[in-house]
């Protein structure tokens, strides 16, 4: 997947190689830093292609990426894997109505339950079911295989360095977004 091995020509997805793209950008916008553009363009393409791969994996398990995000949020909340719908909506950047629709679907599929809080009858609790946890684990197994294949050409040290560099970039983006 991705650019052709010699980094020339159109790749299998109808995009020019990164080098071709950057050459066009430089022709049209002379102030471009080709090193920066190569990093950003490679990250963008990698993100898109990884999302496609993950989407295929979740679809093969009978869940959508949107459902995967809910399962992940519940697992990240820790045992007993329970959250309120408004907290879930906030974590996933959804409106309450969109979250309700998603929870309705997932409840019908047996991935989560939705019940009134025993201590506060006004509050609703969404909880991961055994089936939902099983789907999450299956998705994690498939993702682990894909991710190991993706990084197979990198040494342990390179993986660590890449992880550190990407985390620094992520921190920078989050700082810039927080500033508005």
């Amino acid at each position: 997947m991705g650019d052709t091995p010699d980094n020339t020509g159109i790749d299998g997805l109808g995009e020019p190689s990164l080098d071709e793209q950057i050459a066009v950008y430089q022709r049209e916008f002379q102030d471009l830093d080709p090193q920066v553009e190569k990093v950003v363009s490679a990250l963008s393409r990698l993100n898109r292609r990884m999302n496609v791969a993950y989407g295929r994996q979740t679809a093969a398990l009978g869940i959508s990426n949107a459902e995967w995000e809910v399962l992940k949020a519940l697992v990240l909340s820790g045992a007993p894997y329970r959250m309120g719908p408004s907290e879930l909506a906030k974590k996933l950047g959804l409106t309450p109505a969109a979250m309700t629709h998603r929870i309705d679907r997932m409840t019908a599929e047996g991935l989560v339950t939705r019940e009134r809080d025993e201590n506060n009858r006004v509050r609703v609790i969404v909880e991961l079911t055994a089936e939902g946890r099983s789907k999450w684990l299956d998705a994690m197994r498939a993702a682990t295989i894909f991710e190991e294949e993706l990084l197979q050409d990198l040494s342990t040290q390179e993986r660590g360095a890449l992880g550190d560099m990407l985390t620094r970039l992520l921190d920078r983006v989050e700082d810039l977004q927080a500033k508005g």
Side-chain angles (χ1 to χ4, degrees), residues 21-158:
Q21 176 180 319
I22 292 164
V24 170
Y25 285 2
Q26 283 183 296
R27 183 185 71 224
E28 300 296 325
F29 181 68
Q30 289 75 35
D31 294 338
L32 182 82
D33 180 331
Q35 287 181 316
V36 170
E37 188 58 35
K38 190 164 195 171
V39 169
V40 172
S41 293
L43 286 171
S44 177
R45 286 186 189 191
L46 181 62
N47 180 54
R48 284 194 323 264
R49 294 192 176 123
M50 288 178 70
N51 284 336
V52 168
Y54 291 136
R56 288 180 182 147
Q57 290 175 346
T58 57
L61 296 171
I63 60 174
S64 67
N65 278 347
E67 291 168 332
W68 158 254
E69 291 297 328
V70 173
L71 298 177
K72 179 174 74 172
L74 289 168
V75 168
L76 288 173
S77 74
Y81 315 117
R82 305 172 68 183
M83 295 175 76
S86 59
E87 186 181 4
L88 270 170
K90 185 177 179 182
K91 282 195 179 293
L92 299 177
L94 299 172
T95 65
M99 190 75 248
T100 298
H101 179 68
R102 195 171 292 179
I103 292 168
D104 287 345
R105 219 175 40 241
M106 293 179 73
T107 300
E109 294 169 0
L111 301 173
V112 299
T113 60
R114 176 179 34 207
E115 297 183 8
R116 295 265 173 222
D117 186 338
E118 294 293 324
N119 301 320
N120 178 352
R121 300 296 294 163
V122 175
R123 187 168 187 252
V124 173
I125 298 292
V126 177
E127 186 171 347
L128 188 64
T129 64
E131 175 67 16
R133 181 153 169 76
S134 176
K135 292 281 186 181
W136 179 82
L137 286 169
D138 289 345
M140 288 299 294
R141 285 182 193 101
T144 299
I145 292 166
F146 167 70
E147 291 158 0
E148 284 293 328
E149 289 175 5
L150 176 68
L151 298 174
Q152 71 183 348
D153 296 329
L154 300 180
S155 70
T156 302
Q157 293 79 14
E158 289 172 322

